[in-house]
Amino acid sequence: MQDNASELELRKEFNRWAEDGRAEEMESHHFPITHSMLELMQLRPDERVLDVGCGNGWFCRQIATFVPDGLVMGVDVSDEMVRRAEHATAANPRVNFSTGTAEKLPAPDGAFTRVVSVESAYYWSDPARGLRETFRVLAPGGSAWVLINYYRDNPHCHQWGTHYTIPAQLLWAKEWAEHFLRVGFVEVTHRRILDRSPTPDVNSGRWFRDVEQLRLFKAEGALLITGIKP
Ligand SMILES: C[S@@+](CC[C@H](N)C(=O)[O-])C[C@H]1O[C@@H](n2cnc3c(N)ncnc32)[C@H](O)[C@@H]1O
C-alpha cells in the first residue's frame, strides 16, 4: 500500500482508537487467545519476531520475554499506536517499533524467523499483498501466525461489519489459507483458538447482541492461520 487514501484512512481511524484508550482495552480482550498461540509457537530464545499491526506493543513486550537472545519488532500503520508502544516499552535495543503497513513492511528480506499478527489482518486493504510481504521478510524455515476474530466461518461476528467505519475483509478460513498458499507458504494450517476467559453475566458495548451471542462467539473461537516459508 502506498501512502494513499486507504493508508491515511486507516491511520486516522486507528489514531482515534489509540486516543480513545482502545489499545489498552484490546490487550485484555486479546490476551487469552494470544496466550494459546504463544504456547503453540514454542519460541526459541534467539528468534527474531515481527508483529504486524502491533497496536500499543503489549504483545511485542510479552514476546520479548520469550526471546531474550533474539529481537522483536512491531509495525503499525497508526503513528499514535507506535508512539504509545515506544512510550510503554522500557529502553531495550532488542525491542523496537516502526510506523508502516503490512502491504509495505519496513524490513529487509529474510529478517525474521516468525511473523505474527493479532486482530489486524482483516483491516489490511490488500491481504494478498500483506502476506506476500510477510513471506518476503521471513527467513527460509520461518513461519507466519495470523490470528483473527473476524472471519466468515463464525456467524457471531458478522454484525461487527456494520460498526466498522473502515473496510474490513470478511473471508472464510479456507480463503485465508488459499492466500497463504498462493504467496508460497507450505504446511499451511488453519485452526480455532478458544477464548477460555470467563464470560461476563452482562453484555456491554455494541459488538454482541447479548451475552448468549458472546458465548456462541467464544465457543467458535478465533481463527489462527499458519504457514512456513520453505
Ligand atoms: C484491532 S487492533 C489490534 C492491535 C494489537 N495487535 C492487539 O492485539 O492489541 C488492529 C491494529 O492493526 C493496525 N493495522 C490495521 N491495518 C494495518 C495495515 N494495513 N498495516 C499495519 N497495521 C495495520 C491498526 O492500526 C491497529 O493498531
Side-chain angles (χ1 to χ4, degrees):
M1 181 164 53
Q2 301 302 314
D3 198 19
N4 59 19
S6 56
E7 179 176 343
L8 293 176
E9 197 187 359
L10 276 174
R11 179 164 303 133
K12 199 167 144 203
E13 177 66 10
F14 285 104
N15 279 351
R16 194 166 29 231
W17 281 40
E19 281 150 12
D20 290 349
R22 291 179 64 185
E24 292 70 31
E25 202 178 281
M26 288 191 282
E27 173 170 359
S28 60
H29 287 164
H30 302 162
F31 179 82
I33 53 174
T34 54
H35 182 73
S36 303
M37 181 169 83
L38 274 173
E39 278 180 3
L40 291 169
M41 286 179 76
Q42 299 277 302
L43 286 165
R44 294 179 309 277
D46 63 346
E47 296 222 40
R48 304 183 304 279
V49 187
L50 171 68
D51 180 2
V52 183
C54 63
N56 74 353
W58 66 271
F59 193 42
C60 291
R61 291 186 286 281
Q62 200 183 347
I63 291 170
T65 65
F66 288 81
V67 294
D69 306 323
L71 57 86
V72 186
M73 180 180 183
V75 168
D76 202 287
V77 68
S78 156
D79 47 357
E80 185 55 31
M81 289 285 188
V82 169
R83 202 184 64 72
R84 280 160 196 256
E86 285 169 341
H87 182 73
T89 306
N92 178 351
R94 295 186 180 281
V95 184
N96 64 83
F97 298 96
S98 180
T99 303
T101 66
E103 292 85 348
K104 195 176 178 198
L105 289 170
D109 296 359
F112 300 99
T113 58
R114 315 272 190 140
V115 176
V116 300
S117 183
V118 178
E119 277 291 89
S120 177
Y122 52 84
Y123 295 116
W124 302 353
S125 58
D126 186 344
R129 194 158 160 198
L131 290 173
R132 249 194 327 273
E133 276 290 274
T134 298
F135 189 85
R136 177 184 69 75
V137 301
L138 276 168
S143 54
W145 300 70
V146 171
L147 185 62
I148 49 174
N149 267 322
Y150 184 66
Y151 61 103
R152 198 171 283 282
D153 310 64
N154 185 348
H156 309 294
C157 67
H158 290 192
Q159 71 281 2
W160 297 1
T162 61
H163 300 309
Y164 291 137
T165 55
I166 42 176
Q169 319 272 347
L170 186 60
L171 304 185
W172 297 100
K174 200 166 148 276
E175 291 178 290
W176 279 109
E178 281 163 5
H179 275 307
F180 267 61
L181 288 167
R182 232 173 272 134
V183 301
F185 284 107
V186 296
E187 295 181 42
V188 173
T189 68
H190 60 85
R191 72 191 92 182
R192 304 296 181 90
I193 301 290
L194 296 188
D195 174 348
R196 298 184 193 281
S197 64
T199 302
D201 294 330
V202 179
N203 183 44
S204 61
R206 58 194 176 144
W207 299 102
F208 298 99
R209 195 177 52 237
D210 50 29
V211 169
E212 181 53 19
Q213 192 188 31
L214 172 57
R215 265 197 208 101
L216 292 167
F217 164 82
K218 288 172 72 175
E220 286 282 343
L223 175 68
L224 172 64
I225 315 108
T226 66
I228 296 176
K229 177 171 176 169

